[in-house]
Amino acid sequence: MSDQTNEAEADATRPAPPVDAPDVVEALETLPRRRDQLLPALIAAEHALGWLSEAAIEDVSVHTRIPLSEVYATATAYSELRLEPPVEGRWHVCTGVTCRQAGADALLDALAGSGESAEPVDCRFLCALAPVAERGGALFGRCEAQRLIALAVEDGDRS
Amino acid sequence: MTLDALRAAHPGFEGEVRVLVHGGTCGHAVGVAPHGGFLRQSAGDACAEAACDGACWAAPAATVLRPGHSHRFARLDETGVEPLLTCLAGSCDARADDRGEREHRGGLMSRLGRTDGTLAGALAAGAYEAAARALAMAPAEVIDAVEAMELTGRGGAHFPTGQKWCFATGGEPPVLVVNAEEGEPGVFKDRHMLEGDPHRVIEGMLIAAHATGATDACVYINGQARRARAAFEHALAEAAEAGILGGDALGAAVALTIEVRSGAGGYVCGEETVILNSIEGQRPVPRFKPPQITEAGLFGRPTLLNNVETLAAATLLFDPPAAPPKLVPLSGAVARPGLYEVAVDGQATWGSLLEAARGGAHAPPGVGSLLVGGPSGVFVAAEQFDEPLEMAALGAGGLVALAPGGEANVTLELARYNARESCGECTPCREGTVRLVELLEAPSLDRPKLDELIDVITEASLCQLGGMAGRPIASALATFPQAFSNGAAGAAE
Ligand SMILES: Cc1cc2nc3c(=O)[nH]c(=O)nc-3n(C[C@H](O)[C@H](O)[C@H](O)COP(=O)(O)O)c2cc1C
Ligand code: SF4
Ligand code: FES
């Protein structure tokens, strides 16, 4: 999907982006310099860095030639894009209708009570396996606090 | 080439017995991997990974397929793999199958999670038969057939699909956009289809493209649905390699290019004009209509936008089921939550669906009501369970079985959700959804004010996020007035 005029215009000038996040720049280089690549570029930058830092957003702006303010406005409009660095090992516990009925609040309490970092999130679309939690991008279904805490301890021992 | 030649070029698994380990998002979330590893050791090449077959409740699960015998073994974590190994060895009581009689495996779910995920497996199970037939017909005839099967949009609005395809033809060829954003809480049907039968989605796209003259397409997939995207992209690569896309493997040249895009969350991001803005690199907010997107949509081009399930259902056009099928993701207070296919035939009721999912007496404390359609939905009280299902009332299909007594609390949660998800582009919804929450949180309910506010938001919002934000509240107040005597928050504490 592309808007051809935009592409030609963008390719005419290729300023070098700020280089304080080399992985981000490298990831962006694979994408055409076009407006329609704005969301793919934000996603690629987030994958490369783990979140969208100010420098990464600037890189996206320079790469796509879309004004910085507009890139910010767009990045903040998507709930899945992270504008803060992720907390290592944090549990995201679904508190959607099904998961809450299946005990999500108690799960959050139990995790917090045993020193785990945990925060509520909206439906993860795995409602049939409620309650659902997510950690480091992996989804867990039919969650019981004890099992999650054991998993976290295992991971901690390994690293 | 012909379909027979295509099949001959892609022979499926040759053995007699097959073990399909149901992985996918569901299986992996409940630790199917070690069971799969063990079964691979026992069954060797006969063992393959499949996606979830819709029986999410059964995960981690595996299915043994033998000629004349299909047997799913549920909850391997609880039962172990011994019974499965006995079946594999050839001595099995088929009546032990956990599917039971009521589980309906109609047309739409017939292949879901029931193949090894390869093109060969899909072809052996009938994939691309409908597309090959449609490609041999005049486009107008295909549209007539879709109109005749009375297919309606499964994204939730239930607009007649044949009519939409008709609007998209006649001028410049449209671009086909597939809505796989599936961001409505409680809905997990399109993900299952993309993971478990991606070739059906491609086939539906081929039929739509042929009918409308589209030569390029964009599939917009929810950013969290990583396995769905991977399975779909794998299927695309196989279809291209086999000459289905960009070749003539189905008997006629197909020149459809398909691009895949990821979304990045937000309920409103499933609204059709938001998707178009998102793909163009604009802020993800709705557009004013008119113009309708069939006239001026993506990059100003005529655009045909359909939901994944709509396109999947279009593959049934030559053999339409007696009653229109609807995928229903059902979760909550039932013993067997998962994906169901319902024949909306005027006979099926909320109650019969709950019975299939072992609700009610099977799952204490029973089901007090159903939430149908999540944050834009309505409550169906137990007294209404024997009313027949109607297609339009199902919306996108998301159903949550609620234990008795939780309705006021859920209503407040939904109102808060809508306020969080309001994109802020229009005032009635931006301001109104926050006020709705305040009114529900108040110690006593100001009913006249609430009713008036719901009217304003419903009438004046730019898109249906705001337009339907008052719906669950109005429904809860009408259905469970006693639950709100002290305001919703009073009940919630
Ligand atoms: C807030 C909101 C969210 C929506 N989310 C989705 C969605 O996730 N998937 C979908 O197919 N349609 C969604 N829709 C409906 C689409 O706008 C559109 O009607 C539909 O995709 C058209 O395809 P269909 O005719 O095949 O159903 C949503 C609508 C609104 C107002
Ligand atoms: S109704 Fe709500 S979500 Fe829709 S455009 Fe207005 S503010 Fe945005
Ligand atoms: S409500 Fe928790 S996954 Fe949907």
Side-chain angles (χ1 to χ4, degrees):
Chain A
M1 296 300 115
S2 71
D3 181 347
Q4 299 302 335
T5 51
N6 195 336
E7 179 176 21
E9 185 193 320
D11 275 351
T13 47
R14 272 178 183 256
V19 217
D20 44 354
D23 293 352
V24 173
V25 176
E26 207 173 294
L28 294 179
E29 279 310 320
T30 61
L31 297 172
R33 294 171 177 273
R34 292 193 312 244
R35 170 174 279 276
D36 75 280
Q37 296 298 313
L38 175 53
L39 181 55
L42 286 166
I43 293 173
E46 187 180 286
H47 278 193
L49 194 66
W51 64 293
L52 290 169
S53 64
E54 265 176 49
I57 289 188
E58 222 168 291
D59 288 337
V60 170
S61 164
V62 171
H63 185 87
T64 56
R65 297 185 49 89
I66 297 171
L68 190 58
S69 58
E70 216 185 309
V71 176
Y72 257 109
T74 306
T76 49
Y78 290 104
S79 56
E80 292 290 304
L81 297 179
R82 270 194 299 262
L83 279 86
E84 278 166 20
V87 177
E88 196 73 27
R90 171 171 288 179
W91 291 101
H92 301 271
V93 176
C94 172
T95 49
V97 171
T98 307
C99 286
R100 183 159 264 160
Q101 177 169 274
D105 291 321
L107 188 60
L108 271 168
D109 288 347
L111 287 170
S114 46
E116 291 289 315
S117 166
E119 67 175 7
V121 292
D122 285 317
C123 179
R124 302 281 101 173
F125 312 101
L126 193 67
C127 325
L129 297 170
V132 170
E134 187 184 39
R135 184 168 173 268
L139 278 172
F140 299 87
R142 293 193 203 110
C143 290
E144 284 162 15
Q146 288 319 312
R147 186 168 65 92
L148 297 192
I149 292 162
L151 273 171
V153 170
E154 257 173 55
D155 282 1
D157 288 349
R158 225 174 285 144
S159 58
Chain B
M1 223 190 197
T2 63
L3 194 58
D4 286 339
L6 180 67
R7 283 196 191 119
H10 295 83
F13 177 75
E14 296 287 317
E16 280 250 296
V17 187
R18 198 98 228 247
V19 182
L20 295 178
V21 178
H22 299 290
T25 303
C26 301
H28 286 284
V30 290
V32 75
H35 308 290
F38 184 80
L39 288 171
R40 245 179 305 279
Q41 280 174 6
S42 321
D45 282 351
C47 186
E49 178 157 339
C52 177
D53 64 355
C56 315
W57 61 270
T63 297
V64 174
L65 296 170
R66 263 204 311 273
H69 186 73
S70 157
H71 191 160
R72 181 177 57 220
F73 291 84
R75 297 300 300 259
L76 299 176
D77 52 338
E78 288 179 349
T79 59
V81 293
E82 280 309 316
L84 186 150
L85 293 177
T86 313
C87 171
L88 202 55
S91 58
C92 182
D93 181 358
R95 283 169 304 178
D97 194 337
D98 63 52
R99 275 190 187 82
E101 284 161 35
R102 300 197 68 111
E103 184 173 329
H104 179 70
R105 293 207 73 88
L108 258 185
M109 282 171 69
S110 59
R111 294 199 299 263
L112 191 84
R114 305 275 288 168
T115 75
D116 58 7
T118 64
L119 174 63
L123 284 171
Y128 295 107
E129 273 170 24
R133 271 179 78 177
L135 285 172
M137 286 162 59
E141 284 173 1
V142 177
I143 295 184
D144 286 347
V146 170
E147 284 196 328
M149 74 189 282
E150 296 180 1
L151 180 59
T152 57
R154 303 299 199 238
H158 291 280
F159 189 85
T161 306
Q163 211 176 323
K164 193 187 261 191
W165 290 13
C166 204
F167 288 157
T169 58
E172 184 196 336
V175 50
L176 172 62
V177 177
V178 181
N179 191 344
E181 170 55 26
E182 194 165 59
E184 179 175 307
V187 182
F188 43 85
K189 65 191 179 76
D190 298 337
R191 284 168 171 70
H192 271 83
M193 189 54 78
L194 288 169
E195 279 191 36
D197 195 2
H199 286 289
R200 190 183 293 282
V201 183
I202 299 175
E203 186 174 5
M205 291 175 68
L206 292 179
I207 295 169
H210 176 65
T212 59
T215 57
D216 58 339
C218 182
V219 184
Y220 189 93
I221 304 182
N222 188 296
Q224 289 177 35
R226 288 191 296 271
R227 282 182 195 273
R229 177 168 176 161
F232 185 69
E233 287 190 313
H234 175 73
L236 278 181
E238 278 187 304
E241 169 87 29
I244 294 170
L245 289 166
D248 64 355
L250 298 179
V254 171
L256 180 68
T257 54
I258 301 177
E259 184 182 343
V260 179
R261 288 287 187 100
S262 280
Y267 183 26
V268 77
C269 289
E271 197 275 339
E272 57 185 18
T273 62
V274 181
I275 289 186
L276 303 186
N277 276 343
S278 177
I279 297 172
E280 289 184 10
Q282 314 287 349
R283 265 188 325 122
V285 293
R287 296 178 182 176
F288 283 98
K289 290 187 215 168
Q292 295 302 326
I293 65 169
T294 42
E295 288 163 33
L298 191 62
F299 298 114
R301 297 172 56 193
T303 301
L304 172 64
L305 185 143
N306 274 127
N307 169 259
V308 167
E309 184 192 344
T310 312
L311 292 165
T315 63
L316 306 177
L317 87 168
F318 296 113
D319 191 15
K326 176 78 194 82
L327 294 180
V328 174
L330 169 60
S331 64
V334 293
R336 296 187 166 190
L339 186 62
Y340 289 82
E341 180 169 351
V342 186
V344 184
D345 57 2
Q347 306 290 315
T349 62
W350 305 107
S352 62
L353 181 53
L354 278 173
E355 184 58 29
R358 307 290 196 273
H362 296 282
V367 182
S369 62
L370 278 165
L371 173 64
V372 184
S376 308
V378 294
F379 294 88
V380 174
E383 302 79 64
Q384 299 163 275
F385 284 175
D386 52 8
E387 290 175 8
L389 296 175
E390 282 172 37
M391 189 59 91
L394 283 165
L399 251 58
V400 183
L402 299 172
E407 293 82 11
N409 205 351
V410 170
T411 307
L412 183 56
E413 276 177 49
L414 297 175
R416 287 179 178 148
Y417 177 83
N418 281 323
R420 274 201 304 280
E421 293 296 310
S422 167
C423 78
E425 189 69 2
C426 70
T427 319
C429 167
R430 183 183 60 233
E431 300 293 328
T433 50
V434 176
R435 295 281 153 77
L436 283 178
V437 174
E438 286 169 7
L439 283 167
L440 287 173
E441 282 173 343
S444 68
L445 200 63
D446 187 343
R447 215 23 223 280
K449 210 166 174 183
L450 188 63
D451 289 343
E452 194 190 340
L453 182 56
I454 289 176
D455 279 350
V456 171
I457 300 179
T458 308
E459 292 298 317
S461 290
L462 173 56
C463 84
Q464 288 303 313
L465 190 149
M468 311 245 266
R471 207 167 163 245
I473 304 174
S475 165
L477 286 168
T479 318
F480 311 102
Q482 70 291 352
F484 291 86
S485 46
N486 297 320
E493 297 314 325

